[in-house]
Amino acid sequence: MNTRNAYKIRASRVSSPLNKAPVGMAQSSALPQAKSSYSSKQNYDIGAKTPMDLNSVCEALPERSCRHPLTNMRQNAHLARCEESIKVRFDSITPTLKKLANLQHENDFVSKADSVTSKELGFNFPIELLETAWVDGLNMKALYAKAVFNALNSSIAQFSDDLGRNEDLRVDADSFFLDCGYHSVDITPCSDGRLKGLAKYILRLPLSAITVRNSYAGALFNVESNVRDWEKIELDRLRNGKVLDDGNGYLKIVVYHRSGSDPSHQGCAAHGSNDKVSAEAGLEKLTEFREAIENTYCCGSAIDILLIGVDTDNDSIRVHVPDSAGNISVHRYVDTSELYNETLSMSIDQARVKLYNAIDICSDSSGWAQGDGRPHEGMRKVVANLLEYNLSQIEYVADLYGGMYPDIGHAERYISVGDGFQEIQLRNIAYFAHLDTVEEGAADLDIGIKIFTGLNLNKGLPAPIAIHYRYDSKVPGSRKRLIEKCNRVKNAILNRYKQLAENNNLYFQISIQDLPLGSSLEIISEEA
Ligand code: ZN
């Protein structure tokens, strides 16, 4: 990560328009130059009135403004600080363990190790993992897993703290969705680690404003289970005196992903890296869900659906704009990577008008993309806001990575099994297998193990697996039953991957959390 630029975003307090463009969004010929020149400039400072000829990318695109008018600079600075502090926790692990490997046969090793790990990782390993090093050598797999889980737990504490500080954003977002006609927003992204920062970074939505969040491989969610989520929310509304015909509906969003630079290899593994198949599969699930509600409760009009595609190279999105009947086509969408370029030199007002025009032009498409007119005003506002918020993320990726992530493929740090750590929102931090039982989640788990075979196992490192579920403290016995479930899932994983377990390649942490977002993390066990 280019921490120098992250720091300089943080240092910035001025968002005055600059003269030239920072990055060649969707400019394939300019991209390699963009990456190398961007990271090599020592004096690039977006806050100062720096001569833009320091950045040769700007010279490649001289006609554009360097700072997109709709970028939320303060938010970008905060997110850069957050990303930097989380990633450094994980990225320091391997170099620190290499230092310990060199020290392990020295006199007074334990105190030397404590000194190194306090400084580099911010914690000390349990003495039993260190004191016998002179006899058998260090158990590096155990140390690695311990360090990963420690980084994970401290990251959760940081994200939870951040959630508490952003209560005003949640209230704003709740009001916005209600204003657009939605009492609840339900998002299902693919469980791919590159979408782990979806809400906080890519869509810029407060996590707490999303009512239901569940990831599945290929975004192929369980329709029956999602219908139960809907029933629970509507029952709650009914019990609290909110009638079903109050004009507010339920918005279900599916997010698939693709790779603009390497579509046939770095797209969605669950759909054979095929963009069209990924989008069609997401749309099919959305349609099934809407039909299920309609057929069961005769109130399909209460459900709106939305399909979004993320280019995981640069976090730009395609929003598939519904027509007047709420129907979606995989061929009809607005792409923010194109909008970014088209609005870069505009004023704030001009850029916002352009976003709304783009939605209307999209709605009026003919041929394969043709639909039945324009969506209702609430949906139009939701789409316009999603487009605008994502422009800040495009600018963020431009500032920190020259417009394209260096890790366009997988770089996850651990496998998350169960309900997942909703609070953690950061790209490529975890591969998530959402499951109730290993039998039904076997396909998702197998993909995770395959990914970690390349990332860790082939390099001699174990796969750290964090089993995590949320209980409801309002329900008697819920916590106890959940702990039993965690242990059942762990034993089933050990049973499914016997060979890996026998070779000491699987390490587990079991943790639980009460339902409300930001509840404290309870570690139940941590062992191989
Ligand atoms: Zn995927």
Side-chain angles (χ1 to χ4, degrees), residues 189-195 216-219 255-258 267-271 278 410 431:
C190 175
S191 50
D192 189 290
R194 291 167 292 180
L195 295 186
Y216 291 85
V255 182
Y256 69 93
H257 64 100
R258 62 195 190 90
C268 184
H271 297 298
S278 302
H410 291 282
Y431 174 82

Side-chain angles (χ1 to χ4, degrees), residues 84-350:
E84 186 182 0
S85 63
I86 299 294
K87 281 193 171 170
V88 82
R89 288 192 175 108
F90 288 95
D91 293 345
S92 305
I93 293 172
T94 302
T96 305
L97 292 184
K98 284 181 179 171
K99 283 184 188 171
L100 296 195
N102 289 330
L103 290 172
Q104 63 183 308
H105 297 297
E106 291 190 7
N107 287 331
D108 203 16
F109 166 65
V110 174
S111 76
K112 284 178 181 167
D114 283 350
S115 167
V116 169
T117 55
S118 295
K119 185 170 167 231
E120 306 290 338
L121 301 177
F123 76 100
N124 290 329
F125 287 113
I127 192 162
E128 58 270 23
L129 283 177
L130 302 175
E131 64 187 356
T132 57
W134 68 277
V135 184
D136 297 324
L138 284 170
N139 182 348
M140 281 300 174
K141 290 181 179 178
L143 291 176
Y144 177 83
K146 176 80 187 163
V148 168
F149 292 137
N150 194 79
L152 163 64
N153 299 340
S154 55
S155 302
I156 292 166
Q158 182 179 332
F159 275 104
S160 296
D161 183 54
D162 200 44
L163 267 175
R165 292 170 197 271
N166 287 304
E167 180 59 16
D168 51 339
L169 286 178
R170 183 191 69 77
V171 174
D172 286 350
D174 284 352
S175 307
F176 168 73
F177 282 120
L178 273 175
D179 195 37
C180 293
Y182 300 110
H183 61 73
S184 301
V185 179
D186 170 344
I187 297 188
T188 297
C190 175
S191 50
D192 189 290
R194 291 167 292 180
L195 295 186
K196 187 71 181 111
L198 179 73
K200 193 178 179 83
Y201 284 80
I202 300 173
L203 301 181
R204 304 292 174 106
L205 295 175
L207 200 56
S208 45
I210 301 168
T211 324
V212 180
R213 307 158 292 269
N214 282 320
S215 306
Y216 291 85
L220 299 174
F221 64 92
N222 181 313
V223 175
E224 285 83 358
S225 160
N226 215 154
V227 169
R228 286 195 292 277
D229 290 332
W230 179 87
E231 289 168 340
K232 192 176 168 199
I233 288 165
E234 292 298 355
L235 178 63
D236 184 56
R237 276 164 43 77
L238 212 55
R239 295 289 299 167
N240 287 299
K242 294 171 185 163
V243 288
L244 291 179
D245 60 353
D246 62 358
N248 282 315
Y250 186 102
L251 177 60
K252 173 73 194 180
I253 303 174
V254 157
V255 182
Y256 69 93
H257 64 100
R258 62 195 190 90
S259 165
S261 68
D262 193 0
S264 52
H265 297 98
Q266 299 296 349
C268 184
H271 297 298
S273 249
N274 185 319
D275 298 2
K276 190 160 172 286
V277 172
S278 302
E280 284 172 345
L283 179 54
E284 193 179 333
K285 282 284 174 189
L286 282 170
T287 309
E288 285 174 5
F289 176 65
R290 190 171 61 173
E291 281 179 15
I293 302 289
E294 201 169 60
N295 294 344
T296 313
Y297 296 97
C298 303
C299 54
S301 61
I303 303 283
D304 271 1
I305 55 174
L306 190 59
L307 181 66
I308 296 175
V310 175
D311 183 341
T312 51
D313 292 355
N314 55 29
D315 283 350
S316 63
I317 58 173
R318 285 180 176 175
V319 182
H320 294 258
V321 181
D323 65 13
S324 62
N327 293 323
I328 290 171
S329 162
V330 295
H331 303 288
R332 188 176 62 250
Y333 55 80
V334 180
D335 191 321
T336 53
S337 67
E338 292 166 12
L339 271 180
Y340 178 90
N341 278 334
E342 290 165 7
T343 52
L344 193 55
S345 303
M346 294 181 176
S347 69
I348 290 176
D349 289 344
Q350 285 172 332

Side-chain angles (χ1 to χ4, degrees), residues 331-396:
H331 303 288
R332 188 176 62 250
Y333 55 80
V334 180
D335 191 321
T336 53
S337 67
E338 292 166 12
L339 271 180
Y340 178 90
N341 278 334
E342 290 165 7
T343 52
L344 193 55
S345 303
M346 294 181 176
S347 69
I348 290 176
D349 289 344
Q350 285 172 332
R352 286 203 171 117
V353 169
K354 177 79 181 173
L355 297 188
Y356 274 93
N357 286 343
I359 296 168
D360 292 341
I361 291 167
C362 176
S363 295
D364 298 340
S365 301
S366 56
W368 286 98
Q370 185 165 353
D372 181 15
R374 299 177 179 182
H376 62 78
E377 193 52 32
M379 174 58 81
R380 203 162 160 259
K381 274 165 72 178
V382 167
V383 172
N385 273 269
L386 288 171
L387 297 173
E388 177 172 338
Y389 293 164
N390 182 250
L391 293 175
S392 283
Q393 180 62 10
I394 291 174
E395 189 87 0
Y396 179 88

